[in-house]
Structure formats: structure tokens, C-alpha cells
Amino acid sequence: MQTYAAPLRDMRFALTELHDVAALTALPAFSDLDADAIAPILEAAGKLATEVLLPLNAPGDAHGCTLENGVVRTPPGFRAAYAAFRAGGWNAVTGDPAYGGQGLPQTVGMLVSEMICAANLSFSLYPGLTAGATIAVGRFASDALRALYLPKLTQGIWAGTMCLTEAHCGTDLGLLRTRAVPAGDGSYRLTGSKIFVSAGEHDLTENIVHMVLARLPGAPPGIKGVSLFLVPKYLPGTDSGPDGGVGARNGVTCTALEHKMGIKGSATCQLSFDDAQGWLVGAPHKGMHGMFTMMNSERLGVGIQGLGLIEAAYQSAVRYARDRLQGRALPGPRRPDLPADPIIVHPDVRRMLMTMRVHAEGCRALGVWVANRLDAAEHAADARARRDAEDFVALMTPVVKAMFTDFAVESANLAMQVHGGHGYIRDHGIEQYARDARITQIYEGTNGIQALDLVGRKLPAHAGRSLRGLFHPIADFIENIRADPDMEKFAAGLERAFGTLQLATRHVATRGLADPEEAGAAAGDYLRLTGLVALAYLWARAAQIAIARHGAGGPDQTFYAAKRISAEFFFDRILPDATACYLKIRSGKASMMAMPETAF
């Protein structure tokens, strides 16, 4: 009963109308690419999502993964789906061509990822974790390790993981206890245990490459003493070239599967490393640099997971609201030929559907903007352009991760509300979206951690330089539309919200500098305010395009009319939350921190 069709028309709007695809294809790495070449890629990804992955989503949730004698079996159908996924080259969409990748932009990869996540979030985690491991190996490993592992990881022949968390420490990785001892042959022997390892053991690939944080002998305390190691499930075979297979089993064992609320088709493992052979990635005691490079990529990926869930929940809710008959429209029967009207006529149902719709389309627009800048950060010819793009991506990464996933949880619950009691039972598959969405607010750094990262690291970095990439385009756009009568509503609303964000930024910077608890108390609301203003800017631009192209006639009149209505709903019903965020920020920490600990 779950419903999903790839929103290709809105993807094309975000990619080629709202954002300038010419700026993307002007990058030297993508000079032979254009919108016409991208379209069939997205269409093929949509077909894979709807025809191969969506039918496995609910059955995979019901069956889950199983562990027998250290061997994890994924749900029925996952192995065949992964084989089709890899055969189609989907693991390698944005991979380095030097290692078998297709070298496509991250912007295209983001839209492909959205479709995969919408159709089957559990399945998406297997290639998603591999992509993160590939980044770490590509940027920090030795030439020999890159030559051996990157072809297999890039092409999805081998999978990858991130092994961070231990039972006694989560976010505070400085407390980890896993040890790595030099073996005398250039490798190390690792001993310790990790928990919450997504895709830590499975039957989809012949080998799994674990990226493991551990401590060397005599390492400094805290995170300054953490190193990063590559530890394969199976040691490389005797043929150590990129075409070689696997050899002996390494000392890595899955000791348990976590019994989770959601994403049950994804194997979340407890792993034991018992004198396991591994290789140092990067410099000794500098493992957090490599891990955060991988984690920042994963944080953007988790945001896109949230976007996929918003879209899937929205589409399922719309289908149900059109079919479900109950009550009559308030002004009078809309369908007198039926015993009752479909519930889509009711204002409160419309409120929920429109909220989900603008969350999906707005987050897609923002996701494409960030992905575009990520492509520029990696491929722009000019060093200043790369730096500015890096600043923007760094600023917006915690916003994308936290706000998209907050919206995912909200949308999944709204979809359940639209379904009423039928949403609460398993038959329609809606409660699965609610369960699956909940983890996205937690893993790869909780959303509270994202907010602290934004106000504690990103805002003060380089004397606030990162804000320019967001603030300057908004200020310029407001100035450009101020005199346009068709844009009066959007100009006024955006200017008001932008002014609120500027005031909040000044408040957080001054109060937070004097008292870190003030910054911490404001962090969550400041992140939401930043995200709302970024969305308002994009919705105003979308409205401008829709107004111009709707008035010009053509085949997409319904699409542009709907885009303008959606923009108006965002400004009427979502953007006012910016004022509430500012009022909460201004209230400070007093009532939040005043209660004695013993009184809780």
C-alpha cells in the first residue's frame, strides 16, 4: 500500500530552473554534461526505485535481518536487488573514474540518492555507508591502500562501514577504548568492540571494509589520541591488485544485531575486533579528521534520507486522501454522487498535505543548492571559488541534516494522521515511515549536536565568513524584487525573516561569546531559523519563476500554478515560525537552566 513515484518534474525544476545547470556544467569536470544527458539518468533511477526497491520496503521491514553463527542474512530480495543496483552502476554514480566511477556531479548523485531513500531507506544504507568509506580512503589512505580498495568500493564489489561508537561512549569519541598495536610489518592489530555499526555485516558483497577509530600505544588522551584504521572483514587475496579476490577471514565478528524501532532491513551490528589486522589511514592520532570528512558526507546523506521519507509519506497520504470517503465538504457536498466526499476536501487534511508538500519541494531545492556548491568546492578551477563553496557547504551541512530529518519525522506523523487509524496499523505501511524516520534525527550526530556545531563552530569560523554565501544572495535578491508588484508578498516576507535572522545572529554571537550556555540554549532554534530563511529565499525564487512562466503559457501551466500556490502556503503557514524561533532565542537560558538537577 506504500505509494511512490519519482518526482522527476520537480527535480528538473530544482536542477535546471531554480538553480543554474549551466554553472554546474561549466565546471571542467562536467564540461561534457548537460540537462538532456542528466534526464535519462534520473528517469532510470526512478524506475529502479519504484520497480525494484519499493516492493521490498514493507516486506524487508517485516522480515528484518537475521544472525546465525556470525553470519547476517538480509531480507529476502535484497541480494538480487543489490546485484541489479550494482550492475546498473548506481554505486559508482559520483565515483572517481580512475577507480571505475562515472564521475557525475554530486548534484545528480543527491537526486538519485533521494529516490533510493524514498523507495527503501533500509536498502539505501548499504551503498550509502560504502560511499562514506570510499571518501575517507580516497582522501587519506596511502597510495597502496587506494589502489587496492578504491576500485572495489567505488564499484560496490566490496562494501564499507564506519565503526565509531562503543557501548560507553557515543558522541564523545575521546572516551573510546579500542586499541591498535603495531604488528611490525606496516599493519596493526586491533582489539575492541563497536556498536551501532550500520551495514556492519551482511550478505550483499564478498567483503566489507571497516573504517575503525582506535588508539595507538601512548596516544594522547581524548580525541587528540584517536587514529583511523582500515580493517577488512576478509584480508585481500594473494593477488593484491584491484581485480584480486579475498583471502583469509580477519578477526572481525558480528556478535549481535540491534533490535531496532525502524530501518529493520538494515543490519545494525555489534562488532568485535579480536587481534584484527588493519592499516593506518592518515597520520597517527589524526583519525578524527578523516572520520569527520566521512561523517560530514554522511550527514548530508542523512538529510537526503529525510527528504526521501518526506516525499514518500506525502505521496502515500495524497493517495489515501483522494480515495478515503468521510464526511462532507464544509460548504456542501463536493461529490453528491458518492455517499461521502473524499477527505482531501477538508481544510485540516489540506493543511497536512500542503505542509508535507512544501517540506519536500523546499528541502529538494535547498539540497540541490548545497550539492551544487559541493560540486564547486571539489571542481571549481578558481581557488577562491572553491573556498567560498566549501564555506557554504560547511555552514549548511548541519542545517540540512537536522532540519530535513525534523521535517521527515513531522511529515511521517502527518501522513499517519491523514490515514487516521489505518495509519497506525501496518496494512498501509505508513507507521513504517514514522519508525524509519525517527533514527535520522539521531545517527551521524543527533540534531542537537548539529545545532551546537552550527553555533559553536560554523558561525565563528573565519570571523563569520561562511555566512556570506547565504546572506549575500538573499540580500541581493530582496533588492532585485522589491519593486516587482507580483513579488510584493514574497519580498516583504523574506525581508522580514532575513532581518530576524540577522538580529538572531548578532544576539547569538554576542551572548554566546560571553556565556557558552547561552549559545547552547539558542542553538536549536537558531538552526531552525537559518533553515527557514534559506527555504524562504528559495521559495521566493521559485514563485518568481512560476509567475513568469505561468504567464507565458506553455505545457506546464498546472505545474507552475501549483508551485506558486505552494510558495504562498510556505510564506503564510510555515515561515511565521521564524518569529517564534527568534523570540525563543531572545528569551535566553534562564528558565532552561534554572531548575536544580535534584528537582528533575
Side-chain angles (χ1 to χ4, degrees):
M1 299 294 290
Q2 294 171 339
T3 299
Y4 178 72
L8 296 174
R9 180 63 185 90
D10 196 63
M11 288 181 171
R12 292 197 303 272
F13 177 81
L15 184 66
T16 66
E17 298 179 72
L18 187 60
H19 301 290
D20 185 5
V21 71
L24 178 65
T25 57
L27 296 172
F30 312 124
S31 59
D32 58 347
L33 196 65
D34 59 23
D36 291 338
I38 294 172
I41 298 171
L42 299 181
E43 290 170 5
K47 184 176 181 180
L48 173 79
T50 56
E51 296 182 5
V52 177
L53 300 181
L54 181 64
L56 299 176
N57 193 38
D61 175 69
H63 187 279
C65 297
T66 58
L67 172 64
E68 295 180 6
N69 300 320
V71 177
V72 171
R73 306 294 183 194
T74 52
F78 271 46
R79 290 191 70 187
Y82 185 82
F85 187 86
R86 194 175 73 78
W90 298 109
N91 297 82
V93 167
T94 60
D96 188 338
Y99 301 107
Q102 298 177 38
L104 290 168
Q106 296 293 336
T107 306
V108 175
M110 178 227 124
L111 294 172
V112 171
S113 180
E114 179 199 329
M115 290 183 264
I116 304 306
C117 294
N120 195 319
L121 180 59
S122 288
F123 180 92
S124 76
L125 293 174
Y126 295 100
L129 268 295
T130 303
T134 303
I135 290 173
V137 174
R139 294 189 184 178
F140 298 102
S142 65
D143 291 343
L145 289 177
R146 287 200 298 268
L148 176 58
Y149 287 95
L150 283 183
K152 301 293 185 70
L153 290 170
T154 300
Q155 300 170 54
I157 300 170
W158 292 355
T161 75
M162 297 167 56
C163 299
L164 292 73
T165 308
E166 300 181 5
H168 61 282
C169 69
T171 301
D172 190 354
L173 294 172
L175 299 176
L176 66 84
R177 298 170 183 162
T178 299
R179 298 290 175 181
V181 179
D185 59 358
S187 69
Y188 297 79
R189 297 295 188 271
L190 278 77
T191 301
S193 298
K194 299 288 183 178
I195 64 171
F196 301 162
V197 182
S198 296
E201 166 65 24
H202 55 78
D203 57 358
L204 303 183
T205 58
E206 66 179 10
N207 202 4
I208 302 173
V209 180
H210 303 290
M211 305 303 297
V212 186
L213 291 180
R215 292 186 177 282
L216 290 166
I223 60 173
K224 294 182 178 180
V226 173
S227 300
L228 179 63
F229 297 87
L230 183 156
V231 183
K233 173 182 173 180
Y234 288 98
L235 298 171
T238 54
D239 176 4
S240 59
D243 297 326
V246 297
R249 179 69 186 257
N250 204 0
V252 184
T253 305
C254 177
T255 57
L257 286 176
E258 306 291 356
H259 300 286
K260 308 188 298 290
M261 175 181 177
I263 56 168
K264 294 186 177 182
S266 170
T268 307
C269 303
Q270 298 178 19
L271 295 182
S272 175
F273 296 86
D274 185 8
D275 202 37
Q277 188 172 15
W279 287 265
L280 184 67
V281 174
H285 317 314
K286 302 296 182 182
M288 293 304 297
H289 184 43
M291 186 58 72
F292 271 118
T293 298
M294 180 163 55
M295 185 178 290
N296 282 335
S297 172
E298 294 297 327
R299 285 173 173 174
L300 289 172
V302 172
I304 303 309
Q305 291 175 21
L307 169 56
L309 288 168
I310 296 167
E311 181 67 41
Y314 167 67
Q315 291 190 25
S316 293
V318 168
R319 176 199 51 77
Y320 186 82
R322 285 175 174 159
D323 294 342
R324 174 69 169 175
L325 304 180
Q326 187 158 319
R328 289 296 187 184
L330 296 179
R334 206 64 76 76
R335 290 292 305 273
D337 56 314
L338 297 175
D341 286 328
I343 63 173
I344 199 169
V345 305
H346 300 306
D348 194 56
V349 173
R350 289 294 189 97
R351 173 189 62 82
M352 293 186 283
L353 294 179
M354 287 299 296
T355 298
M356 289 183 275
R357 182 188 182 102
V358 301
H359 283 347
E361 294 183 9
C363 289
R364 183 174 300 116
L366 180 53
V368 170
W369 189 14
V370 175
N372 271 342
R373 302 305 289 152
L374 184 59
D375 284 319
E378 294 178 353
H379 299 289
D382 179 67
R384 174 66 179 271
R386 291 196 302 273
R387 189 204 72 181
D388 290 346
E390 289 170 358
D391 285 348
F392 181 78
V393 173
L395 177 76
M396 297 308 295
T397 291
V399 176
V400 167
K401 194 280 182 185
M403 189 175 68
F404 287 22
T405 59
D406 283 348
F407 285 170
V409 171
E410 179 184 353
S411 296
N413 280 285
L414 286 173
M416 186 183 298
Q417 193 72 14
V418 169
H419 282 73
H422 289 284
Y424 194 68
I425 61 177
R426 301 192 67 157
D427 300 45
H428 288 267
I430 299 305
E431 55 84 36
Q432 181 188 346
Y433 291 140
R435 290 185 288 104
D436 284 354
R438 191 60 185 85
I439 186 58
T440 63
Q441 294 178 305
I442 298 172
Y443 59 16
E444 306 306 341
T446 66
N447 287 359
I449 292 296
Q450 305 307 311
L452 289 174
D453 179 46
L454 178 63
V455 301
R457 294 190 180 96
K458 304 305 171 55
L459 286 188
H462 310 294
R465 188 180 72 198
S466 297
L467 288 170
R468 298 173 192 168
L470 179 65
F471 282 19
H472 289 183
I474 296 175
D476 291 343
F477 182 72
I478 292 171
E479 191 61 33
N480 289 337
I481 65 172
R482 196 187 302 276
D484 185 346
D486 289 333
M487 294 294 293
E488 181 179 359
K489 173 179 183 175
F490 302 107
L494 178 58
E495 186 169 24
R496 184 165 52 249
F498 181 45
T500 299
L501 176 59
Q502 291 173 304
L503 291 172
T505 301
R506 187 177 303 116
H507 177 86
V508 169
T510 54
R511 296 287 293 273
L513 187 63
D515 183 350
E517 282 189 340
E518 286 286 354
D525 293 302
Y526 183 82
L527 184 147
R528 176 59 66 93
L529 175 57
T530 303
L532 288 172
V533 173
L535 290 178
Y537 164 63
L538 294 171
W539 271 116
R541 287 184 53 205
Q544 184 184 44
I545 295 168
I547 291 168
R549 297 189 180 174
H550 183 264
D556 282 339
Q557 295 306 290
T558 300
F559 175 83
Y560 291 122
K563 184 65 71 173
R564 178 175 181 171
I565 292 169
S566 296
E568 290 175 345
F569 180 88
F570 178 87
F571 271 75
D572 288 344
R573 290 283 180 156
I574 306 298
L575 188 56
D577 290 348
T579 300
C581 289
Y582 179 63
L583 292 175
K584 288 186 281 186
I585 291 168
R586 290 282 302 180
S587 73
K589 71 171 188 177
S591 61
M592 188 181 298
M593 303 302 294
M595 187 75 71
E597 292 181 19
T598 55
F600 281 97

